[in-house]
Each structure stands twice: as structure tokens, then as C-alpha cells.
Amino acid sequence: MPWSSVLAVVAHPDDESFGLGAVLDTLVSQGAVGGVLCYTRGEASTLHGVEGDLTQIRVAELTEAADHLGLTHVRLCEFPDGDLASVDRAELAALAVEQARAQQADLVMVMDESGITGHPDHRAATAAGLAAADELGLPVLAWTLSPAITDQLNAEFPAGFIGTTGDEVWRVSREHQLEAAKAHASQALPTSVLWRRLELMGDEEHVRWLRRPVA
């Protein structure tokens, strides 16, 4: 189905690039307006040893990454990173509703309910996105990783990835996602599991519908 506007609801700056990037790029390249609502500034989830004010660094990184992905509606909130699950879900959902209405979204995109690595912040953001979509009657597309990919990653890294069988496999280009990922210079270190994951995934992304579109 042709989507005119997609809103990604995520927990941390870089989720939109490291995770959802290729799928968002695909939707935007097909003509959709792209937006991202990020609930935290990622201070607790960041790598250590980064010089400078992480709040400002990660704002700048998200802004640049969004440009690479063609996202024109970007909102970065200041909820507690590492403890997003403690925030009232209704408050988080209300922000997603507001953002979706502002960009006239007809599709919400989130990380899989597994949290990909079971991260409670990811799960909280996804739950908020689902609640907002239910209020607005919008479909919800989740980015996930196939069990084959997660099995290989978990054999190579102590990462704790959770695999989920998707509903669809999309062919994607990684060009803009890689540019966006590199914009998060404080996180995208050469030794990051990110690069191995993208290598294993090739030109495929697995997605599943948490709320299916009405035909």
C-alpha cells in the first residue's frame, strides 16, 4: 500500500538509523513524508569515553542522521534514558499522537515488541507507539530481526538479540542507512556489532505488522 507519511517512534537517538534506517529510507524513497519521535537523548545508553556534552552531541548526531534518511519531522524528548518504562504510557502515547497528527501520518513504525535485545526502553517506546496508533486507528509496522540472524550474532557477540519471524521480507538499499549510522559517530565505533549485523542482513529487512492496515 502507498504510505504518504510514516512516523517512527523510538527510545534512543540512533534507533532510527541503526535499526529502522533502511526500512524508513525505503518508505521515504517511495514518496512518504518521514518523521521520528525519540523519547530520550541517550545519555545512559551511550558509549563511555566520549568528550563533550553528550546531550548536545546526540542532538546534532540525530539531526544529521535524519537528513541522510530524508526525515523532515524530528522531535527529541528528554525522558529518562534507561528508565523510560517508569514514565506513564499515556503521556508517551500522547506525544506520539501529537506528532502523528502534525505530520498527518498514516503509518506508525516501531521496533519489535521483543525490544530486539529485550531492552525495556525499546519496549516502552513500542508500547507507546502502539497506544497512539490505536487511538488514531493507524497501522503499525515493526522492524525485527530474523531468528537466523540473531542466532549468528549471539554466537559471535554477547549481545542477547531476540529473533522474531517477520510477516514480510523487504529488499532494501543500505546506502542512506550507512550514511545515517556514521552520523552517530559517538556510537558507531568500528568494533560495534552494528556493522556485523548489517553485513549479515545484506539487502533484506524483516518486518511484521503489529496492527495490520485495513484494506
Side-chain angles (χ1 to χ4, degrees):
M1 297 179 67
W3 307 107
S4 63
S5 182
V6 54
L7 170 62
V9 180
V10 298
H12 310 127
D14 70 38
D15 289 345
E16 84 300 326
S17 300
F18 294 1
L20 282 56
V23 177
L24 287 173
D25 177 58
T26 297
L27 292 166
V28 170
S29 69
Q30 293 177 350
V33 171
V36 58
L37 171 63
C38 181
Y39 286 119
T40 82
R41 297 197 174 210
E43 296 93 337
S45 298
T46 195
L47 300 175
H48 298 289
V50 178
E51 296 183 1
D53 183 341
L54 281 172
T55 297
Q56 296 304 316
I57 289 172
R58 302 214 72 185
V59 169
E61 289 178 345
L62 175 58
T63 300
E64 182 181 348
D67 286 342
H68 286 304
L69 294 173
L71 306 179
T72 54
H73 295 70
V74 180
R75 184 171 183 178
L76 187 59
C77 304
E78 297 184 355
F79 290 103
D81 180 25
D83 196 25
L84 190 60
S86 69
V87 181
D88 181 57
R89 184 179 299 177
E91 182 178 2
L92 298 178
L95 289 171
V97 168
E98 180 181 324
Q99 179 84 358
R101 285 175 171 160
Q103 67 174 76
Q104 297 182 308
D106 53 9
L107 175 66
V108 172
M109 189 172 181
V110 296
M111 285 194 169
D112 190 70
E113 289 174 304
S114 67
I116 304 300
T117 57
H119 198 304
D121 280 2
H122 292 163
R123 289 179 170 176
T126 294
L130 283 168
D134 288 343
E135 180 173 339
L136 297 172
L138 298 179
V140 181
L141 185 67
W143 170 74
T144 192
L145 294 176
S146 71
I149 294 292
T150 57
D151 287 349
Q152 184 63 41
L153 288 171
N154 291 334
E156 297 180 19
F157 299 88
F161 286 104
I162 301 171
T164 307
T165 301
D167 295 319
E168 301 174 15
V169 178
W170 290 18
R171 296 289 180 180
V172 299
S173 167
R174 299 274 176 211
E175 179 184 359
H176 293 151
Q177 182 185 24
L178 288 171
E179 292 173 351
K182 291 174 183 176
H184 291 283
S186 69
Q187 311 301 302
L189 299 184
T191 55
S192 172
V193 65
L194 164 69
W195 311 115
R196 178 58 172 155
R197 171 167 60 78
L198 295 179
E199 178 186 17
L200 289 172
M201 293 165 68
D203 64 352
E204 291 186 353
E205 287 284 5
H206 291 245
V207 297
R208 71 186 190 106
W209 292 102
L210 302 185
R211 300 289 187 272
R212 288 188 175 275
V214 177

